[in-house]
Amino acid sequence: MSAPSRLARRMWHQLEPIHAVLYFSPQAFGRAAALGYDVESRWPSYFAYRTAPLGRAGARLATAAYYSFSPRMIAEHFPAVWEVAAPEQVLRARLETVDETYRHLMGDRMAGPDVAEAAELARRVAESVPVEGRPFAAANLDLPWPDEPHLALWQAATVLREHRGDGHLAALAAAGLDGCESLVSFAAVGAAPVENFAGRGWSEQEWGEALERLAARGLVKPDGQATERGRALRDQVERMTDDLAFEPWRRLGEERAGRLGQLAAPFLGAVFEAGLLPMTSTLGIATVQVPD
């Protein structure tokens, strides 16, 4: 792995959990329930919280943005998700969620100059992201910056997370992997068990047909395990994802990126100490399991 790729990957691991509390904290589900969302499943609140910056997205836009979710599943949630609460309400609720979550997790540790410095550095790098072909990143970057440093840090982490996620979808498309194939090929290299993707809405038949398509390309074996070509293609996707995520970190520089990682560490530690986030293994590296 090149030095740029290592930096982009490292900063992703350090900032992703700061963003991801929005989807998993008890406060997040509580706020979503207060808005009227069914929280027996995490998907209604997840789709509402994550998509709200795009405005009142319909099924086609959401299908394009989410890529690896079944269009049939997306159609079950869009535009119905906005009949429960308007995007503007959801945007307010998600900041309130993050504020409440981190005040609960961090307490007095959230005050002080370190958090303000982390927010300033994170905002600087977030505002430098190229937005061409990055709809989620651009939509989040268009939002007003919160005044409170811990919320500005969270919003910057969100912009950077979505910038990387948008690039990941571009890398999947460049590899010729459609939505279902992207999941089948990911499971095939052992990065996550097939069961992890049951919530994405693909039927057993659709999964099997995707497996057949990948087998015809020489990317998977009949038992669903990746061939050498299949592993090489997934490596290509991950490398391209890192490369496409590197530019804002190049502009910030290795030293200041390292400083941001140090300053963000208490937030990261608080999240993991609370056991809020599901984990998976991405190419042998433990990481937060948040869908693209």
Tab-separated table of all heavy atoms in Angstrom, residues 255-285:
chain	number	residue	atom	x	y	z
A	255	GLU	N	1.584	15.750	8.868
A	255	GLU	CA	1.765	16.179	10.250
A	255	GLU	C	0.463	16.653	10.871
A	255	GLU	O	0.104	16.253	11.993
A	255	GLU	CB	2.812	17.294	10.317
A	255	GLU	CG	3.118	17.753	11.738
A	255	GLU	CD	4.226	18.789	11.788
A	255	GLU	OE1	4.928	18.983	10.768
A	255	GLU	OE2	4.390	19.425	12.853
A	256	ARG	N	-0.283	17.500	10.146
A	256	ARG	CA	-1.534	18.003	10.707
A	256	ARG	C	-2.600	16.916	10.748
A	256	ARG	O	-3.453	16.905	11.639
A	256	ARG	CB	-2.014	19.223	9.934
A	256	ARG	CG	-1.225	20.489	10.281
A	256	ARG	CD	-1.736	21.704	9.549
A	256	ARG	NE	-1.502	21.601	8.105
A	256	ARG	CZ	-1.846	22.532	7.224
A	256	ARG	NH1	-2.492	23.628	7.627
A	256	ARG	NH2	-1.582	22.383	5.942
A	257	ALA	N	-2.536	15.984	9.782
A	257	ALA	CA	-3.457	14.851	9.835
A	257	ALA	C	-3.198	14.018	11.096
A	257	ALA	O	-4.137	13.586	11.771
A	257	ALA	CB	-3.319	13.988	8.592
A	258	GLY	N	-1.928	13.804	11.405
A	258	GLY	CA	-1.585	13.089	12.625
A	258	GLY	C	-2.077	13.815	13.861
A	258	GLY	O	-2.565	13.189	14.819
A	259	ARG	N	-1.963	15.134	13.854
A	259	ARG	CA	-2.455	15.923	14.976
A	259	ARG	C	-3.968	15.783	15.114
A	259	ARG	O	-4.487	15.629	16.228
A	259	ARG	CB	-2.075	17.397	14.784
A	259	ARG	CG	-2.607	18.355	15.856
A	259	ARG	CD	-2.099	18.020	17.228
A	259	ARG	NE	-2.548	19.007	18.213
A	259	ARG	CZ	-2.533	18.805	19.529
A	259	ARG	NH1	-2.073	17.654	20.029
A	259	ARG	NH2	-2.949	19.749	20.361
A	260	LEU	N	-4.681	15.807	14.014
A	260	LEU	CA	-6.130	15.629	14.058
A	260	LEU	C	-6.479	14.262	14.645
A	260	LEU	O	-7.403	14.143	15.464
A	260	LEU	CB	-6.733	15.778	12.662
A	260	LEU	CG	-8.234	15.478	12.524
A	260	LEU	CD1	-9.062	16.339	13.474
A	260	LEU	CD2	-8.684	15.693	11.073
A	261	GLY	N	-5.731	13.230	14.238
A	261	GLY	CA	-5.983	11.905	14.783
A	261	GLY	C	-5.802	11.862	16.290
A	261	GLY	O	-6.594	11.234	17.008
A	262	GLN	N	-4.777	12.538	16.792
A	262	GLN	CA	-4.547	12.593	18.234
A	262	GLN	C	-5.694	13.306	18.954
A	262	GLN	O	-6.163	12.865	19.998
A	262	GLN	CB	-3.239	13.321	18.530
A	262	GLN	CG	-1.985	12.564	18.106
A	262	GLN	CD	-0.733	13.397	18.322
A	262	GLN	OE1	-0.792	14.620	18.470
A	262	GLN	NE2	0.419	12.732	18.344
A	263	LEU	N	-6.113	14.426	18.384
A	263	LEU	CA	-7.161	15.220	19.020
A	263	LEU	C	-8.513	14.510	18.997
A	263	LEU	O	-9.338	14.694	19.893
A	263	LEU	CB	-7.272	16.580	18.323
A	263	LEU	CG	-6.068	17.510	18.468
A	263	LEU	CD1	-6.165	18.666	17.477
A	263	LEU	CD2	-5.959	18.035	19.895
A	264	ALA	N	-8.738	13.720	17.947
A	264	ALA	CA	-10.019	13.011	17.813
A	264	ALA	C	-10.064	11.734	18.641
A	264	ALA	O	-11.143	11.156	18.832
A	264	ALA	CB	-10.281	12.682	16.344
A	265	ALA	N	-8.910	11.280	19.146
A	265	ALA	CA	-8.845	9.991	19.839
A	265	ALA	C	-9.804	9.874	21.021
A	265	ALA	O	-10.400	8.806	21.216
A	265	ALA	CB	-7.405	9.720	20.287
A	266	PRO	N	-9.995	10.921	21.853
A	266	PRO	CA	-10.966	10.761	22.957
A	266	PRO	C	-12.383	10.468	22.479
A	266	PRO	O	-13.119	9.709	23.124
A	266	PRO	CB	-10.889	12.113	23.677
A	266	PRO	CG	-9.522	12.622	23.376
A	266	PRO	CD	-9.253	12.184	21.963
A	267	PHE	N	-12.786	11.064	21.360
A	267	PHE	CA	-14.107	10.773	20.807
A	267	PHE	C	-14.167	9.316	20.356
A	267	PHE	O	-15.135	8.605	20.633
A	267	PHE	CB	-14.405	11.696	19.625
A	267	PHE	CG	-14.760	13.096	20.015
A	267	PHE	CD1	-13.771	14.024	20.310
A	267	PHE	CD2	-16.080	13.503	20.100
A	267	PHE	CE1	-14.090	15.320	20.675
A	267	PHE	CE2	-16.421	14.795	20.471
A	267	PHE	CZ	-15.421	15.705	20.761
A	268	LEU	N	-13.125	8.890	19.657
A	268	LEU	CA	-13.057	7.514	19.176
A	268	LEU	C	-13.118	6.543	20.349
A	268	LEU	O	-13.872	5.568	20.325
A	268	LEU	CB	-11.754	7.335	18.393
A	268	LEU	CG	-11.600	6.103	17.512
A	268	LEU	CD1	-12.560	6.169	16.338
A	268	LEU	CD2	-10.164	6.002	17.015
A	269	GLY	N	-12.330	6.827	21.394
A	269	GLY	CA	-12.321	5.951	22.551
A	269	GLY	C	-13.662	5.887	23.247
A	269	GLY	O	-14.102	4.804	23.658
A	270	ALA	N	-14.331	7.030	23.366
A	270	ALA	CA	-15.634	7.051	24.031
A	270	ALA	C	-16.659	6.218	23.269
A	270	ALA	O	-17.473	5.512	23.868
A	270	ALA	CB	-16.124	8.491	24.174
A	271	VAL	N	-16.614	6.288	21.949
A	271	VAL	CA	-17.553	5.524	21.124
A	271	VAL	C	-17.341	4.032	21.317
A	271	VAL	O	-18.291	3.261	21.515
A	271	VAL	CB	-17.396	5.916	19.640
A	271	VAL	CG1	-18.176	4.951	18.743
A	271	VAL	CG2	-17.880	7.341	19.407
A	272	PHE	N	-16.082	3.586	21.288
A	272	PHE	CA	-15.821	2.159	21.396
A	272	PHE	C	-15.997	1.643	22.827
A	272	PHE	O	-16.423	0.507	23.024
A	272	PHE	CB	-14.422	1.834	20.865
A	272	PHE	CG	-14.342	1.885	19.368
A	272	PHE	CD1	-13.433	2.715	18.730
A	272	PHE	CD2	-15.196	1.123	18.580
A	272	PHE	CE1	-13.366	2.771	17.350
A	272	PHE	CE2	-15.142	1.173	17.199
A	272	PHE	CZ	-14.218	2.003	16.577
A	273	GLU	N	-15.680	2.489	23.805
A	273	GLU	CA	-15.910	2.088	25.196
A	273	GLU	C	-17.393	1.832	25.452
A	273	GLU	O	-17.764	0.957	26.236
A	273	GLU	CB	-15.403	3.172	26.142
A	273	GLU	CG	-13.891	3.226	26.278
A	273	GLU	CD	-13.431	4.466	27.027
A	273	GLU	OE1	-14.289	5.131	27.672
A	273	GLU	OE2	-12.231	4.785	26.961
A	274	ALA	N	-18.237	2.608	24.783
A	274	ALA	CA	-19.683	2.442	24.952
A	274	ALA	C	-20.229	1.253	24.175
A	274	ALA	O	-21.377	0.855	24.367
A	274	ALA	CB	-20.403	3.716	24.531
A	275	GLY	N	-19.430	0.672	23.292
A	275	GLY	CA	-19.863	-0.486	22.513
A	275	GLY	C	-21.004	-0.192	21.572
A	275	GLY	O	-21.851	-1.053	21.315
A	276	LEU	N	-21.013	1.029	21.001
A	276	LEU	CA	-22.151	1.444	20.176
A	276	LEU	C	-22.149	0.847	18.784
A	276	LEU	O	-23.202	0.660	18.190
A	276	LEU	CB	-22.176	2.975	20.043
A	276	LEU	CG	-22.500	3.784	21.285
A	276	LEU	CD1	-22.524	5.266	20.938
A	276	LEU	CD2	-23.833	3.355	21.870
A	277	LEU	N	-20.965	0.574	18.232
A	277	LEU	CA	-20.892	0.326	16.801
A	277	LEU	C	-20.611	-1.131	16.470
A	277	LEU	O	-19.733	-1.755	17.080
A	277	LEU	CB	-19.790	1.198	16.175
A	277	LEU	CG	-19.936	2.697	16.420
A	277	LEU	CD1	-18.795	3.445	15.735
A	277	LEU	CD2	-21.274	3.205	15.940
A	278	PRO	N	-21.322	-1.678	15.473
A	278	PRO	CA	-21.001	-3.015	14.989
A	278	PRO	C	-19.680	-2.975	14.236
A	278	PRO	O	-19.320	-1.973	13.627
A	278	PRO	CB	-22.163	-3.339	14.041
A	278	PRO	CG	-22.629	-2.013	13.559
A	278	PRO	CD	-22.424	-1.051	14.695
A	279	MET	N	-18.924	-4.055	14.317
A	279	MET	CA	-17.626	-4.105	13.670
A	279	MET	C	-17.611	-5.218	12.639
A	279	MET	O	-18.309	-6.217	12.748
A	279	MET	CB	-16.521	-4.363	14.698
A	279	MET	CG	-16.468	-3.345	15.820
A	279	MET	SD	-15.980	-1.708	15.258
A	279	MET	CE	-14.279	-2.013	14.810
A	280	THR	N	-16.784	-5.042	11.618
A	280	THR	CA	-16.540	-6.092	10.654
A	280	THR	C	-15.067	-6.030	10.307
A	280	THR	O	-14.313	-5.247	10.873
A	280	THR	CB	-17.426	-5.936	9.394
A	280	THR	OG1	-17.252	-7.087	8.574
A	280	THR	CG2	-17.074	-4.694	8.600
A	281	SER	N	-14.626	-6.850	9.392
A	281	SER	CA	-13.222	-6.834	8.970
A	281	SER	C	-13.163	-6.479	7.505
A	281	SER	O	-13.784	-7.131	6.675
A	281	SER	CB	-12.582	-8.203	9.198
A	281	SER	OG	-11.308	-8.261	8.602
A	282	THR	N	-12.439	-5.425	7.185
A	282	THR	CA	-12.273	-5.012	5.797
A	282	THR	C	-10.852	-5.326	5.382
A	282	THR	O	-9.913	-4.691	5.847
A	282	THR	CB	-12.538	-3.506	5.642
A	282	THR	OG1	-13.853	-3.235	6.113
A	282	THR	CG2	-12.439	-3.073	4.201
A	283	LEU	N	-10.680	-6.321	4.538
A	283	LEU	CA	-9.354	-6.728	4.086
A	283	LEU	C	-8.423	-6.945	5.279
A	283	LEU	O	-7.268	-6.526	5.290
A	283	LEU	CB	-8.767	-5.676	3.122
A	283	LEU	CG	-9.645	-5.413	1.893
A	283	LEU	CD1	-8.988	-4.384	0.999
A	283	LEU	CD2	-9.909	-6.682	1.126
A	284	GLY	N	-8.949	-7.578	6.319
A	284	GLY	CA	-8.129	-7.900	7.466
A	284	GLY	C	-8.024	-6.806	8.497
A	284	GLY	O	-7.318	-6.967	9.499
A	285	ILE	N	-8.696	-5.682	8.303
A	285	ILE	CA	-8.622	-4.564	9.237
A	285	ILE	C	-9.983	-4.387	9.877
A	285	ILE	O	-10.997	-4.244	9.182
A	285	ILE	CB	-8.212	-3.265	8.511
A	285	ILE	CG1	-6.879	-3.450	7.791
A	285	ILE	CG2	-8.137	-2.104	9.474
A	285	ILE	CD1	-6.500	-2.302	6.899
